[in-house]
Amino acid sequence: MQPIQLAIVVGSVREGRVGPTVAAWVASIAAARKTVEVVEVDLADFELPNTLIPSDDTDRFTTIVGACDAFVFVTPEYNHGVPGSLKTALDTVKYEWRAKPVGFVSYGGLGGGVRATEQLRQITAELHMVSVRDAVSLHRVRKRIDPEGGIDDAAALDALGRLLDQIEWWADAVAGAGERGDYPG
C-alpha cells in the first residue's frame, strides 16, 4: 500500500506568524509514520486572490490539493474566526477537496484557536470533506515552543497522534470507496 499524501497547510500569511513552526512540528510527527508522505503547503507561497479569479497560482494550488489524499490545517484564530487567507484558499478550490479527510491543529492565546476550528468544521463539511473528530488546540502557543521547534505539551502530542490515526483511517476508507465508484457529491 502506498503512503497517503498528507498536506500540512499553514493557514496564516501574517508577518511574524508562528504557523510555520507549528506546521513543522506536525510534519515531523506525521513524517515519522511509514504510512504517510508529508506535503508541506504554506499559503504565503501563493497569491490567491479573494476575487477567486483563476491564475497560475490558483491553478498550482488546485493541482496540489487534487494530488493530496488528506489534509491537516494549521490555523490561528483571528477575531474569533478563521484567517481570511485560509478561507480564501478553501473557496479557491472546489471539487478537489471533496471526499477527503481533514484534521485541525489550532493555536493562539488562551483560546488556543478552538473557534477557528469549529468554523472550519462547518466550512469543510460544505466542501464535502470529512473532518476527523480529534483536533489539537495549542493554548499560549509561544510559551509551548521549545528551542528546537518542538511543542512542550503532552496533551497536544497525544491528540495529534489520534488525529493522524483518524486521518489515515479515513484516507484508506475513501480510497476503497473510490475504487467502487466516484463520489456522488
Side-chain angles (χ1 to χ4, degrees), residues 92-152:
T92 296
V93 178
K94 187 170 183 176
Y95 300 107
E96 290 79 3
W97 294 121
R98 291 188 177 185
K100 294 182 181 179
V102 60
F104 308 104
V105 175
S106 64
Y107 60 89
L110 292 176
V114 295
R115 291 170 288 225
T117 292
E118 291 310 309
Q119 288 180 3
L120 284 167
R121 288 188 190 283
Q122 294 174 346
I123 295 164
T124 56
E126 188 61 25
L127 292 169
H128 297 248
M129 296 180 83
V130 179
S131 70
V132 299
R133 183 202 173 276
D134 285 308
V136 178
S137 176
L138 298 166
H139 304 261
R140 301 181 71 193
V141 66
R142 292 191 188 272
K143 295 188 180 291
R144 296 287 187 195
I145 300 171
D146 67 30
E148 291 78 40
I151 303 292
D152 179 23

Side-chain angles (χ1 to χ4, degrees), residues 20 26 29 34-35 37 52 56 62 81 83 89 122 140 163 177-178:
V26 173
I29 303 299
K34 291 180 177 27
T35 52
E37 186 173 314
L52 306 180
D56 289 343
T62 300
Q122 294 174 346
R140 301 181 71 193
L163 179 152

Side-chain angles (χ1 to χ4, degrees), residues 10-22:
V10 180
S12 170
V13 298
R14 283 187 179 174
E15 190 172 325
R17 64 204 168 122
V18 72
T21 302
V22 175

Side-chain angles (χ1 to χ4, degrees), residues 66-106:
C68 290
D69 302 307
F71 302 88
V72 173
F73 295 146
V74 176
T75 184
E77 179 179 307
Y78 293 162
N79 303 314
H80 287 215
V82 176
S85 53
L86 183 51
K87 179 63 166 86
T88 298
L90 288 163
D91 291 343
T92 296
V93 178
K94 187 170 183 176
Y95 300 107
E96 290 79 3
W97 294 121
R98 291 188 177 185
K100 294 182 181 179
V102 60
F104 308 104
V105 175
S106 64

